[in-house]
Amino acid sequence: MHVPDVSVVVIVYNDAERLPAAVQSVLDQTLHGVEVVIVDDCSKDRSYAVARELEAAHPGRVRAFQLPENSGGCGAPRNHGIKQATGAYVMFLDSDDVLERNACRNMLEAAERTGSDLVSGMCVRVHLDSRSGKTTEWYPWIYSRTRTLESITEYPDLLVFDTLSTNKCYRRAFLLEQGLEFPVGIHYEDLLFSAQAYVAASRITLIPNHVYFWNVVEKAAAKSISNRRHEIENFVHRMEIHRRVDVLLASKGHEQIKSAKDTKFLKHDLVLHLLDLPLLDDDYRREFARLANGYLAGIDPDAYRNVTYLQAICAYLLGKEDWDNLLTAAEAMTNKGRLTSPLAERDGRIYWCADHLDDAEGRKILDVTAQGFSSTPLTSLALGNHLTSYADDGRGTVTLTGSVVNPLGRIRPESELKASLEFRARRQIGVRSFSFPVESVRHAGDTIEWKVTADIGSTIRPFGIIDAVWDVRLKLTAGSDRLTTRVSVGGVDLENAARLRVRPRLTRLVSDRFQPEMTKKGNLSYVLTAEGAAAVRTQSLINNAMHGKAAGVVKRSLRKALRARRNLGSGEQKVKVYHEVFSKLPVKKGTVVFESHMGKQYSDSPKAIYEELVRSGAPFEAIWSYEGKEPRGFPKEATLVRRWSWAYLRALAQAEFWVDNQGFPLALAKRPGTTYIQTWHGSALKRMGFHEPRTKAQGKAGQDRLQSALDRFDHFLIRSEHDTRTLAKGFRLRDGVLLRTGYPRNDALVAAHRSEAHTGERIRGPLAGELGIDPDKKVLLYAPTFRANADGAVEGFEFPFDVEEFADRLGDRFTLLVRTHYLNSAVLPPSVAGRVVDVSKYHDVTPLLALADGLITDYSSVMFDYAVLDRPMLFFAYDYEKYATDIRGTYFDLKEKAPGPVLATAEELLQAIAAFDEADAKYAHARRRFLTESGEYDRGDAARQIVEKFFTRSGK
């Protein structure tokens, strides 16, 4: 008898309806040597009967088994499947999911090519109840490329994040030799089984292919085991599995993996349960704390450094069983961006709460100074607003009282207060909202207390079906500040609240009651329901009709109409109109569309070219693109168009010139009558374009799209032959496209250096006065680049050195300007005011470079621009090995060519600043060599060259 290549174990329990689809996904595999082993966990429905029917229909390919009694989990049926499997390799499939058609073939090929015990591919979550057909890849950055590991220690993230057993193919002999089985009688069995398999495998291969489609129904009436977090037994099982994994890792000496796993526990596992705490009773909380704190005691302290501030705060407060402060922090995690605590200030530092500050660990974890709550405009903060009481008259009137957080007393006692309570339909059809004046609103120390009586029954007139859910918001005016807050239920019990009578516009025969409910995130809402006998009958008829054949036709037509309406403003539709309509319009001579950093700024070389055009008096019409709701800082005399708006698309289609420093949308083709001048935004240290491994891994289709976008460039500005060897080759640009003019943005820096060299005097200019710079202090500019994680997402910015220590040790001699990359933002503690200044809001970095007596950077391209000034540079490369050896790589070794000291620790940095003059003299020759190699074409006339070549009569 022929031995199958792969045995797919399909487990099922009470899922007769979906089982055939799962089995068919195995039978349809492009690899023919596949058998199906169905194991029924003693179902109560026809699951086993369906399994036997499938066995009869596919003899030799499908075999069916049934356990004598229900095991209550996935472990026992999978273990039975391993015993019954005859294939050389084993995979697992749940009855409600399906395999990708090439899954078995791709995984088998990888296993046989590499000799791996375990091959893992990408799982895709398919959201079945999503109208848009939403899918999400499961940790795609793990599967960005094919890789083979000799040990899990080479890539701990795999064990930490991808704990599924179903997206993997195992050598059956390996499972049997190692005695690997799923734990039985306990949930979360995948976590332990996967950990055991990863640790035992002598070789693991990852492939970048979709292999498993995990069907998800978010609104399922019956929650899956892992989603029943309100059951304390669920948490008991999770803790037990984690302990077993920890024992396994300790026995193998995998401390590094344990630390990474602890980080994930704080960021994911614990958070899942913390989000539910505000909704659960005291008995649950006490037992939860007992279980969690016993485990938290063994967490690696370093794990707390790798989580968000709220995750660390919640874990700490849970350890103290400080429910009042913990619940506010848990609510803040549930409602991202909401500030739910009044905060506390001690010695210039801001803390989440005033408690536990006598504990050194507490002070460190509860310190939220870096979050900027004290400096962020009050109107930009989403303040927490808790319901404190709820009463109704049983008919249509409610009385609500609540409490809005007043962080650090920023709403001053003298501020005049006004408020209204708004009821807003979640689906805004017809009348959008109804508001009720708040009869009492007053200052109460850390909070603003309010009270309102609202006659809902006679005021709110919903339609009846379309606007079934209504959210509640408090609109508060405090002096000149206007704040809008969601009302959270908090600890108020709504179980006994009356269903309020309302008069829907579609008559009471549709619905006649307004019922208060708590949303998934703990906020107050009202839901239309039916209570009267006639209304209940009508509602039932409507519900039945809504699912009938006639309703299906109506709903499909309605969906089609809504899709057409949505698509009118969709990116796909806009691209179509751009090419088929706007690109047929005539090109308008003299029009120039400018864009800097994809519309986020008025800055850089496009700004310098624009201003030179204005100075020269050349005839042209300027159009600047901006990103966001409102354009800020853009020239008022220019035409402003919002990026991706219809006006933007038409402007691009009809422009004679495109000028930008990053890239107009890739999907928009450039017309032959348009000239694209690409100024770019800096010389390169990191590999770019086709030199990047990620680009090479995209495949032909992805590379062709990138090439088409790059082929739009008619002219590409460079500063030196370094750019020719790096950027130009990385973008596959012809030499004829290159303009050896230097960067227009650096013209001002060249002029500043010449003036200083000629007069011997450094003129700081008006910016120094605007920033309040002490004329007796030297100015240092700290301008780091951004960091990205493994999947390319930009990481949040955190200071890699203590700015307070800088201020204390060196603030009497230096003023430190902090300018983060435009993808990041920084927050400074109040204690360093005047000595450390955040200048990130200044989009154009050139005036900041001209002002600075020295530059502190890491790998940012500003190093190349600042070299024009021939002033000292310090390179704080605290993570150099990681940055230089990551997947992108660098064009040169910074340590060898840096025109200044390369520093690895914060102490080295502070010592180098203290000896600032030494760096100036020691590295003078290195600075000149660096400029010669990277900025030979920066001669101070780049903008003028561009204007004369393209925009004046003599140049055209």
Side-chain angles (χ1 to χ4, degrees):
M1 179 179 175
H2 176 68
V3 176
D5 293 313
V6 179
S7 295
V8 179
V9 176
V10 182
I11 63 170
V12 61
Y13 176 69
N14 288 351
D15 198 18
E17 184 177 345
R18 291 180 293 190
L19 176 61
V23 171
Q24 193 62 46
S25 76
V26 183
L27 297 174
D28 289 342
Q29 288 292 299
T30 53
L31 178 70
H32 297 300
V34 180
E35 73 163 351
V36 184
V37 178
I38 304 174
V39 182
D40 173 59
D41 198 10
C42 199
S43 296
K44 296 177 181 178
D45 68 352
R46 293 191 69 254
S47 292
Y48 185 54
V50 171
R52 292 295 301 273
E53 292 166 4
L54 290 166
E55 181 181 45
H58 304 280
R61 295 201 66 193
V62 177
R63 292 183 292 135
F65 303 89
Q66 184 178 46
L67 298 186
E69 59 182 8
N70 178 250
S71 68
C74 301
R78 285 180 182 156
N79 290 339
H80 191 74
I82 295 172
K83 293 175 183 177
Q84 297 298 333
T86 61
Y89 292 86
V90 177
M91 294 176 63
F92 302 106
L93 174 63
D94 292 345
S95 60
D96 52 347
D97 301 327
V98 294
L99 293 182
E100 194 276 336
R101 190 164 180 264
N102 300 296
C104 292
R105 177 172 59 82
N106 288 335
M107 300 182 97
L108 178 66
E109 286 179 354
E112 292 185 335
R113 183 180 70 254
T114 62
S116 293
D117 294 323
L118 188 162
V119 176
S120 189
M122 197 184 303
C123 173
V124 179
R125 285 167 59 94
V126 180
H127 301 265
L128 297 180
D129 50 356
S130 166
R131 293 181 179 179
S132 60
K134 176 184 174 183
T135 62
T136 52
E137 294 178 333
W138 189 255
Y139 299 113
W141 47 271
I142 290 178
Y143 298 98
S144 60
R145 60 185 174 90
T146 299
R147 68 178 88 185
T148 297
L149 314 172
E150 300 299 327
S151 167
I152 188 62
T153 58
E154 295 179 21
Y155 197 41
D157 280 359
L158 184 59
L159 181 146
V160 172
F161 292 97
D162 189 0
T163 55
L164 300 176
S165 65
T166 48
N167 60 332
K168 297 170 178 61
C169 181
Y170 312 83
R171 189 167 59 85
R172 185 165 65 92
F174 160 70
L175 296 180
L176 298 177
E177 290 163 4
Q178 297 293 330
L180 293 181
E181 291 187 340
F182 290 87
V184 178
I186 188 169
H187 306 325
Y188 306 105
E189 59 281 309
D190 270 20
L191 274 69
L192 181 57
F193 181 83
S194 295
Q196 291 172 329
Y198 284 140
V199 169
S202 60
R203 186 171 292 168
I204 302 166
T205 294
L206 311 181
I207 60 174
N209 305 85
H210 292 170
V211 299
Y212 193 92
F213 293 116
W214 177 3
N215 291 325
V216 180
V217 181
E218 299 285 354
K219 300 170 185 175
K223 292 291 184 183
S224 67
I225 291 169
S226 59
N227 284 329
R228 297 201 290 267
R229 292 187 292 272
H230 60 284
E231 300 173 3
I232 194 65
E233 192 68 17
N234 185 288
F235 192 61
V236 171
H237 287 204
R238 187 184 287 272
M239 290 295 90
E240 176 58 26
I241 287 291
H242 273 280
R243 287 190 181 91
R244 294 188 192 184
V245 174
D246 290 346
V247 169
L248 170 70
L249 297 178
S251 70
K252 302 296 183 180
H254 294 327
E255 290 82 4
Q256 180 186 1
I257 299 178
K258 168 68 164 61
S259 180
K261 177 185 163 295
D262 285 348
T263 297
K264 189 201 174 205
F265 177 82
L266 294 175
K267 296 180 73 169
H268 175 73
D269 300 78
L270 185 62
V271 167
L272 285 176
H273 293 267
L274 286 177
L275 299 184
D276 293 327
L277 279 185
L279 320 179
L280 299 168
D281 59 30
D282 290 341
D283 290 340
Y284 180 97
R285 292 177 191 170
R286 281 191 291 271
E287 182 63 11
F288 176 80
R290 184 186 70 80
L291 293 166
N293 289 334
Y295 186 76
L296 288 171
I299 289 283
D300 184 346
D302 286 344
Y304 285 90
R305 302 175 188 171
N306 301 317
V307 300
T308 68
Y309 76 97
L310 279 173
Q311 290 161 354
I313 286 172
C314 283
Y316 175 80
L317 294 174
L318 178 61
K320 298 294 183 182
E321 296 192 39
D322 180 352
W323 299 111
D324 289 341
N325 288 315
L326 172 58
L327 294 180
T328 62
E331 182 192 337
M333 277 201 302
T334 308
N335 297 272
K336 189 175 181 181
R338 185 177 297 181
L339 177 56
T340 56
S341 172
L343 307 177
E345 183 174 358
R346 299 286 188 278
D347 302 322
R349 307 297 297 177
I350 309 300
Y351 298 94
W352 182 257
C353 58
D355 302 305
H356 316 296
L357 300 184
D358 55 344
D359 172 26
E361 182 186 14
R363 285 196 305 276
K364 182 170 68 173
I365 292 176
L366 296 170
D367 190 329
V368 294
T369 308
Q371 305 309 315
F373 294 131
S374 61
S375 57
T376 300
L378 198 60
T379 52
S380 297
L381 294 175
L383 300 182
N385 184 0
H386 294 98
L387 202 61
T388 53
S389 70
Y390 182 97
D392 59 67
D393 64 359
R395 296 184 297 277
T397 300
V398 296
T399 299
L400 311 178
T401 64
S403 174
V404 180
V405 168
N406 183 8
L408 303 171
R410 292 185 60 187
I411 302 177
R412 308 301 300 170
E414 61 271 17
S415 299
E416 182 182 358
L417 303 176
K418 296 179 182 178
S420 62
L421 194 68
E422 179 190 63
F423 291 72
R424 178 180 288 268
R426 192 170 293 174
R427 296 186 67 185
Q428 298 170 4
I429 306 295
V431 178
R432 295 167 61 89
S433 64
F434 296 88
S435 294
F436 300 88
V438 171
E439 59 209 58
S440 171
V441 55
R442 66 183 187 87
H443 295 274
D446 288 340
T447 61
I448 304 296
E449 294 184 353
W450 55 270
K451 178 181 180 180
V452 61
T453 298
D455 184 0
I456 291 175
S458 60
T459 306
I460 296 182
R461 298 291 309 279
F463 278 94
I465 296 177
I466 301 171
D467 51 354
V469 182
W470 292 65
D471 296 315
V472 182
R473 293 174 171 83
L474 183 81
K475 293 197 167 183
L476 174 66
T477 301
S480 60
D481 293 324
R482 295 183 178 182
L483 314 169
T484 299
T485 67
R486 284 295 302 269
V487 178
S488 65
V489 173
V492 174
D493 185 6
L494 298 178
E495 287 292 324
N496 300 316
R499 294 181 173 186
L500 306 173
R501 296 176 182 174
V502 289
R503 294 182 299 136
R505 296 175 184 271
L506 296 179
T507 82
R508 295 176 187 267
L509 292 177
V510 175
S511 52
D512 58 357
R513 291 292 187 274
F514 223 26
Q515 179 177 342
E517 285 189 0
M518 182 167 58
T519 68
K520 194 175 179 180
K521 293 188 175 182
N523 299 315
L524 178 64
S525 68
Y526 281 83
V527 178
L528 278 171
T529 61
E531 184 168 292
V536 171
R537 284 195 300 271
T538 305
Q539 187 69 52
S540 177
L541 290 171
I542 290 174
N543 288 338
N544 291 335
M546 290 289 283
H547 294 88
K549 290 184 179 181
V553 174
V554 174
K555 286 192 285 187
R556 283 192 293 273
S557 300
L558 179 59
R559 288 193 192 109
K560 186 175 181 181
L562 290 173
R563 272 198 304 272
R565 182 179 176 182
R566 283 195 300 268
N567 289 342
L568 186 62
S570 69
E572 181 181 354
Q573 187 68 19
K574 284 184 172 180
V575 170
K576 185 177 181 180
V577 171
Y578 170 86
H579 288 107
E580 296 182 4
V581 179
F582 292 158
S583 292
K584 301 296 190 292
L585 299 173
V587 170
K588 295 171 66 176
K589 293 294 183 180
T591 57
V592 190
V593 176
F594 293 94
E595 186 171 285
S596 179
H597 293 301
M598 296 184 289
K600 293 181 176 67
Q601 303 174 359
Y602 172 62
S603 66
D604 212 79
S605 292
K607 173 187 175 184
I609 293 172
Y610 167 77
E611 293 182 349
E612 178 63 23
L613 275 168
V614 173
R615 279 193 296 270
S616 71
F620 76 107
E621 178 188 352
I623 301 170
W624 271 93
S625 93
Y626 68 90
E627 181 68 52
K629 294 182 180 179
E630 297 290 337
R632 295 183 179 179
F634 288 85
K636 294 180 180 179
E637 63 272 13
T639 300
L640 305 183
V641 293
R642 184 167 50 82
R643 203 169 194 262
W644 272 111
S645 67
W646 292 112
Y648 172 80
L649 297 174
R650 180 164 182 166
L652 283 177
Q654 293 192 270
E656 185 181 7
F657 293 96
W658 290 0
V659 179
D660 93 310
N661 66 351
Q662 194 155 345
F664 287 108
L666 300 183
L668 305 180
K670 181 185 69 68
R671 299 173 66 179
T674 300
T675 299
Y676 191 164
I677 303 172
Q678 172 57 257
T679 70
W680 203 241
H681 52 274
S683 298
L685 171 63
K686 294 287 278 186
R687 293 187 180 276
M688 303 292 291
F690 289 96
H691 289 163
E692 290 188 55
R694 285 197 186 102
T695 304
K696 296 175 182 177
Q698 284 181 347
K700 188 176 186 303
Q703 292 181 23
D704 287 348
R705 283 193 296 273
L706 176 59
Q707 189 64 63
S708 295
L710 297 172
D711 286 345
R712 297 179 303 174
F713 301 164
D714 295 298
H715 305 284
F716 188 90
L717 274 55
I718 61 171
R719 305 177 61 236
S720 68
E721 290 308 300
H722 167 77
D723 290 350
T724 303
R725 295 187 298 271
T726 57
L727 287 170
K729 288 191 180 298
F731 292 151
R732 296 179 178 174
L733 301 176
R734 294 177 292 102
D735 190 73
V737 172
L738 306 182
L739 286 182
R740 291 169 168 81
T741 59
Y743 280 173
R745 72 182 186 190
N746 288 344
D747 290 349
L749 300 181
V750 174
H753 176 59
R754 286 175 177 167
S755 173
E756 185 179 338
H758 179 68
T759 64
E761 180 183 1
R762 181 170 302 169
I763 300 174
R764 287 184 164 178
L767 182 58
E770 182 182 336
L771 295 173
I773 302 295
D774 186 335
D776 295 326
K777 292 184 182 181
K778 288 188 179 296
V779 178
L780 300 178
L781 175 65
Y782 177 47
T785 191
F786 69 93
R787 303 297 193 276
N789 60 24
D791 60 352
V794 176
E795 297 177 348
F797 174 78
E798 293 184 8
F799 280 101
F801 62 92
D802 190 334
V803 290
E804 288 183 299
E805 186 177 1
F806 166 86
D808 293 341
R809 286 172 58 172
L810 302 166
D812 59 334
R813 295 172 52 198
F814 299 93
T815 297
L816 181 66
L817 307 181
V818 177
R819 205 269 191 177
T820 61
H821 190 276
Y822 74 92
L823 295 173
N824 292 133
S825 60
V827 176
L828 297 172
S831 58
V832 301
R835 296 173 292 177
V836 184
V837 183
D838 181 14
V839 292
S840 301
K841 69 178 181 179
Y842 290 88
H843 291 160
D844 196 352
V845 73
T846 302
L848 297 170
L849 295 174
L851 172 61
D853 297 296
L855 174 71
I856 304 170
T857 187
D858 43 19
Y859 323 106
S860 172
S861 65
V862 295
M863 71 174 79
F864 299 100
D865 304 283
Y866 196 73
V868 170
L869 294 164
D870 191 25
R871 298 176 190 170
M873 285 187 269
L874 306 177
F875 295 85
F876 186 31
Y878 58 92
D879 58 349
Y880 181 75
E881 296 305 322
K882 177 182 177 183
Y883 193 89
T885 60
D886 79 353
I887 192 171
R888 279 180 65 181
T890 60
Y891 283 116
F892 61 86
D893 189 336
L894 182 65
K895 289 184 176 180
E896 291 182 3
K897 292 196 172 186
V902 179
L903 312 163
T905 68
E907 181 58 30
E908 288 179 4
L909 172 65
L910 296 178
Q911 289 180 8
I913 295 173
F916 182 74
D917 292 335
E918 291 181 20
D920 189 357
K922 183 177 179 181
Y923 287 90
H925 177 70
R927 289 200 303 271
R928 287 191 290 274
R929 184 183 68 242
F930 188 76
L931 177 61
T932 299
E933 292 178 356
S934 64
E936 60 194 284
Y937 302 134
D938 271 334
R939 295 182 286 260
D941 62 349
R944 181 173 56 80
Q945 285 191 64
I946 298 299
V947 169
E948 289 180 354
K949 181 177 180 64
F950 297 105
F951 299 101
T952 63
R953 288 192 179 90
S954 59
K956 288 182 69 78

